[in-house]
Amino acid sequence: MGKIAAFFDIDGTLYREGMITAIFKKMIKSDIISSEVWYKELREKYNRWDKRIGNYDDYLVRMAEIYIEAIRGLHRTQVEFIASKVIEQNGDRVYTYTRDRIKWHKNQGHQIITISGSPFELVREISEKFKFDHYVGSVYEMDDEHYYTGEVRPMWDSQNKKVALKHLVSEYDIDLSQSYAYGDTAGDFEMLKSVGHPVAMNPTKELLQKIDKDLTVIEKIKIVVERKDMIYHLTPDCIHRGENKT
């Protein structure tokens, strides 16, 4: 029998904001990214999402593209310093439910692992803060002298997370049927589907739609929504009842 693990997404699942958003803001303050980029490239996409007429993923994807270009030619130490400052100043902006689940899993002796689409440097910082056993993030490639090349190995999509999960299972002898996973977006679906105890934390509409189409996931998944100082535990049929009333 293999080990029991708990796999956590970070953005929107543990951390209450996208970590790439936090490092993006810090880079603007550090004059690595021009503030004009926000007004010309991102403000409209953010405002459309904020008014709930646009897709948040469109905003994040464009931000990631700008981030890639911004760090091209920077040395690793520059990005690592900014990442450490982001977590030092904002690392406690996490969901109570998820923070408590991390503690619970540790008390049970489970392996605590994060698989996140955020830059590896940020994932490492927050993983060390919360004492994760292992962590995986999007890797922004560097040359032999540790300068960023502008190439990236992403970890924000469902397929790459599935590949990472398979590697971790093999490396650490994990029994997925007894393990847990926590995620909030469609990119986490395969990770949630793979374990015996999946939890959709503040799920997006796209994730709920994927769950709704998979009977094996519906039968085992839990849905948790944390708003203000309240935590709501739901099931997929609760979502349907809510939809039928509108």
Side-chain angles (χ1 to χ4, degrees):
M1 185 175 178
K3 299 173 184 176
I4 297 176
F7 301 94
F8 289 86
D9 174 53
I10 296 294
D11 301 305
T13 302
L14 171 60
Y15 193 63
R16 298 204 317 261
E17 184 181 16
M19 286 201 296
I20 195 168
T21 302
I23 197 170
F24 192 91
K25 291 177 179 177
K26 184 67 70 176
M27 285 183 163
I28 290 176
K29 290 182 178 179
S30 302
D31 291 327
I32 293 174
I33 298 176
S34 169
S35 59
E36 291 185 4
V37 171
W38 165 258
Y39 291 103
K40 292 181 179 179
E41 301 284 345
L42 285 171
R43 185 172 62 171
E44 182 182 353
K45 292 184 183 297
Y46 175 81
N47 287 339
R48 285 182 60 81
W49 168 76
D50 193 43
K51 296 174 183 176
R52 299 303 190 263
I53 58 175
N55 192 321
Y56 187 58
D57 285 344
D58 292 340
Y59 166 63
L60 285 181
V61 167
R62 184 60 187 134
M63 185 182 296
E65 291 171 349
I66 295 170
Y67 176 80
I68 292 170
E69 289 303 313
I71 67 170
R72 187 196 299 269
L74 293 184
H75 194 266
R76 180 189 69 187
T77 54
Q78 293 173 277
V79 175
E80 289 178 345
F81 175 77
I82 294 173
S84 68
K85 287 298 180 183
V86 168
I87 302 306
E88 178 184 319
Q89 296 170 8
N90 302 296
D92 290 318
R93 297 188 70 247
V94 298
Y95 287 107
T96 300
Y97 171 82
T98 315
R99 183 183 61 206
D100 290 347
R101 291 304 289 174
I102 290 172
K103 292 179 181 177
W104 182 82
H105 285 295
K106 287 181 179 178
N107 290 336
Q108 304 306 308
H110 299 164
Q111 295 285 298
I112 312 298
I113 302 171
T114 181
I115 304 177
S116 171
S118 283
F120 177 80
E121 294 81 2
L122 277 169
V123 174
R124 178 176 58 205
E125 290 290 331
I126 200 164
S127 296
E128 290 177 353
K129 176 179 176 62
F130 287 94
K131 296 180 171 56
F132 280 83
D133 296 304
H134 315 286
Y135 46 87
V136 180
S138 295
V139 175
Y140 291 80
E141 301 280 6
M142 292 177 279
D143 62 21
D144 293 340
E145 296 182 344
H146 302 292
Y147 288 92
Y148 290 94
T149 65
E151 301 297 320
V152 59
R153 285 183 279 139
M155 194 52 64
W156 50 71
D157 61 288
S158 192
Q159 186 57 37
N160 278 308
K161 286 196 174 187
K162 183 178 181 180
V163 171
L165 184 69
K166 183 177 180 181
H167 173 75
L168 289 164
V169 167
S170 175
E171 184 173 359
Y172 298 108
D173 186 29
I174 294 169
D175 181 357
L176 285 179
S177 69
Q178 299 299 314
S179 292
Y180 299 73
Y182 303 81
D184 68 318
T185 68
D188 299 311
F189 179 73
E190 289 295 336
M191 181 174 74
L192 295 170
K193 182 178 179 178
S194 299
V195 301
H197 306 284
V199 177
M201 174 66 183
N202 293 331
T204 63
K205 181 179 180 179
E206 290 80 9
L207 176 56
L208 288 176
Q209 288 173 336
K210 283 184 171 291
I211 291 169
D212 190 47
K213 294 176 182 177
D214 195 310
L215 292 178
T216 61
V217 178
I218 289 176
E219 291 175 354
K220 62 182 179 179
I221 199 160
K222 295 179 180 179
I223 299 171
V224 175
V225 175
E226 182 172 332
R227 294 287 293 168
K228 298 182 179 178
D229 59 350
M230 289 294 294
I231 298 170
Y232 303 90
H233 296 262
L234 309 172
T235 57
D237 65 301
C238 291
I239 303 300
H240 286 301
R241 284 203 297 269
E243 290 176 348
N244 291 337
K245 291 179 181 179
T246 58

